[in-house]
Amino acid sequence: MQPSPMNKSRILVAVLSFVVFTAALAAQGMRGGTPIAPGQECPPGTTEVRPGSCQAPSEPPPSILDYRPRSTLVTAEHKVPKAKFPAIDVHGHPGNLTTPEAINRVIGVMDSLNLKVMLVAENVSGARLTSTLAAINASPHKERFRVLAGIDFRNVGPDWGAKAAAQLEADLKAGAIGVGEVGKQFGLRITKPDGSRLKVDDPQLDPLWQAFARLDVPAFIHTAEPQEFFQPQDFKNERWLELSLFADRRNNQPGQVTFEQLITERNNVFRKHPKTRFVAAHFGWHGNDLARAAKMLDEFPNVTIEAGAILYDLGRQPRAAREFFVKYADRIMFGKDSFQPNEYPYYWRVFETADEYFDYYRDYHAFWKLYGMALPDEVLKKVYYKTALKVFKGLPQAGWPQ
């Protein structure tokens, strides 16, 4: 039986379609196309150009350092050189403040940014603390700074806790208003006299944490590092470039303590000492997991957090971050960490505007763009100064907007 003219047409169309499809696949193959199964990744050096087909560039690709594409996106820009409300930087590292020249230099920067007070968080104690306090108190700017004391975790043993508590009392009498920033080496690399790692929840530290509660001052502690610092340094690691640049941030070597171990130890301390007020530096390193940050704050009412050095995580999830800040504004403080004056306005812009798709200030921290959170004024006031005034009771309490 001969096919009808309509069926002949359909067969012809099918044949032609097959020929075109086959020719396209052949052309891709000539250009180096590689087929992949659904869910499979392209081989190294190629990218998916069509569903199921990977291809290598015809030109040598640039390195991660040299690929700096210009954005063609045209969108509103609202640079924010000064904070909308006077701010307290609770995570200040301004360097040595023992001379009038150094103090005046920092004050000039603070004025340009609308930083009203800086909390000096250099983790110093004894003579270095008293010399810093003396220089600040002798200056006309003594109300612009407050200083935190430090803890010496060397030689922790049976009598260490009582001695550390006594030093804390002495430092507070000298003028410190708390302790911090207790550095990242605590829990990560500091060892006991027997060579074992000093765990964050070591029971020999309990007398010190109890002293904080008795003296009603906060302990500002930095535990762990970003999660990716503990992961293999492969091309899936979003902090690969940073780890490649800074070898001392590679906490992924065999036998090293893990991120989860450190967080568990830290939370054990929060739980064991409910009357001690803790400030978890860097959002507790949960800026990339706001649900986990919320769980921490819900479980431990004695904990507050600060935003130092995690802006790259907030700015890439502006809607979720905004909701988080609105809900937990009484538990969040502004902190910057590294004292780089030109970087503060990025915080103001993320917090205060609804700007979209703008650069972060350090490529090796984050290769992605930032978006503004457009926080309400009352939330900004809490983050910039109101929460800090409650947590650090030794801060100047007068002269703040209501």
Side-chain angles (χ1 to χ4, degrees):
M1 184 174 68
Q2 297 293 325
S4 68
M6 182 174 292
N7 286 337
K8 285 183 178 180
S9 298
R10 288 175 178 172
I11 292 171
L12 181 60
V13 169
V15 170
L16 289 174
S17 298
F18 177 77
V19 170
V20 170
F21 179 70
T22 303
L25 285 179
Q28 282 191 355
M30 292 174 63
R31 294 195 301 269
T34 302
I36 56 172
Q40 183 182 357
E41 289 191 346
C42 286
T46 68
T47 189
E48 193 167 11
V49 293
R50 293 290 187 274
S53 179
C54 304
Q55 184 177 313
S58 60
E59 304 291 334
S63 75
I64 190 174
L65 296 171
D66 297 328
Y67 186 58
R68 306 169 189 176
R70 292 183 299 272
S71 173
T72 60
L73 181 68
V74 179
T75 186
E77 293 187 0
H78 303 90
K79 301 293 182 67
V80 188
K82 301 179 72 167
K84 186 174 185 179
F85 301 105
I88 299 171
D89 183 354
V90 303
H91 195 155
H93 290 302
N96 192 342
L97 292 181
T98 56
T99 66
E101 293 77 17
I103 292 172
N104 290 336
R105 175 183 60 83
V106 175
I107 286 293
V109 172
M110 291 170 63
D111 287 345
S112 71
L113 297 168
N114 201 18
L115 279 179
K116 185 173 181 179
V117 178
M118 177 176 287
L119 195 50
V120 181
E122 302 286 5
N123 195 46
V124 295
S125 184
R128 187 178 170 192
L129 172 71
T130 55
S131 64
T132 300
L133 287 166
I136 290 172
N137 289 333
S139 81
H141 308 296
K142 62 182 181 179
E143 293 305 304
R144 303 289 299 278
F145 298 98
R146 290 294 185 269
V147 182
L148 297 178
I151 301 174
D152 184 352
F153 286 104
R154 292 175 296 179
N155 301 314
V156 170
D159 300 325
W160 181 90
K163 294 177 182 177
Q167 184 62 56
L168 171 62
E169 288 201 57
D171 289 340
L172 294 176
K173 288 179 181 178
I177 67 168
V179 160
E181 169 199 16
V182 174
K184 58 189 170 185
Q185 304 304 332
F186 172 48
L188 195 59
R189 292 189 177 87
I190 294 176
T191 59
K192 301 178 73 171
D194 64 3
S196 62
R197 181 178 65 89
L198 177 61
K199 298 180 179 179
V200 178
D201 59 354
D202 190 303
Q204 291 180 323
L205 307 179
D206 286 345
L208 176 63
W209 305 132
Q210 292 161 1
F212 279 98
R214 174 170 52 83
L215 298 167
D216 193 25
V217 293
F220 177 23
I221 64 173
H222 175 158
T223 308
E225 286 280 73
Q227 282 178 270
E228 288 293 84
F229 288 11
F230 297 83
Q231 298 302 313
Q233 190 182 343
D234 56 25
F235 290 172
K236 301 292 185 184
N237 192 316
E238 68 179 4
R239 306 299 283 272
W240 180 91
L241 180 56
E242 183 170 0
L243 293 173
S244 182
L245 290 168
F246 303 102
D248 62 344
R249 302 182 187 183
R250 300 170 195 165
N251 302 316
N252 51 15
Q253 304 306 305
Q256 284 193 289
V257 64
T258 67
F259 178 83
E260 293 301 333
Q261 283 176 282
L262 289 168
I263 297 305
T264 297
E265 292 172 9
R266 180 202 68 187
N267 289 352
N268 288 342
V269 174
F270 292 166
R271 186 178 296 108
K272 189 174 184 179
H273 300 280
K275 295 183 179 179
T276 299
R277 295 185 291 117
F278 293 95
V279 177
H282 308 290
F283 247 61
W285 293 121
H286 299 322
N288 65 315
D289 187 348
L290 294 181
R292 191 168 188 180
K295 184 177 184 296
M296 178 183 69
L297 294 179
D298 291 343
E299 184 176 355
F300 305 117
N302 56 327
V303 173
T304 51
I305 55 180
E306 60 85 30
I310 54 97
L311 187 69
Y312 51 80
D313 275 333
L314 302 176
R316 62 172 166 173
Q317 50 176 337
R319 291 183 293 277
R322 187 182 196 276
E323 291 178 5
F324 185 93
F325 270 65
V326 169
K327 182 175 181 179
Y328 293 103
D330 292 315
R331 310 282 295 280
I332 304 170
M333 297 177 287
F334 169 70
K336 170 60 178 66
D337 195 6
S338 177
F339 185 64
Q340 305 294 335
N342 65 330
E343 295 175 353
Y344 282 81
Y346 289 83
Y347 282 80
W348 315 148
R349 189 177 181 187
V350 169
F351 290 160
E352 298 180 21
T353 80
D355 283 3
E356 297 182 295
Y357 200 78
F358 55 93
D359 288 333
Y360 180 65
Y361 51 81
R362 293 189 200 176
D363 288 345
Y364 71 79
H365 267 179
F367 52 84
W368 51 84
K369 303 294 186 178
L370 303 182
Y371 297 80
M373 294 160 56
L375 293 173
D377 283 356
E378 186 54 33
V379 173
L380 288 172
K381 290 177 183 178
K382 289 180 178 181
V383 172
Y384 283 168
Y385 62 90
K386 285 187 175 182
T387 302
L389 293 175
K390 294 177 181 177
V391 173
F392 294 97
K393 298 179 182 179
L395 286 166
Q397 299 290 317
W400 301 92
Q402 296 304 308

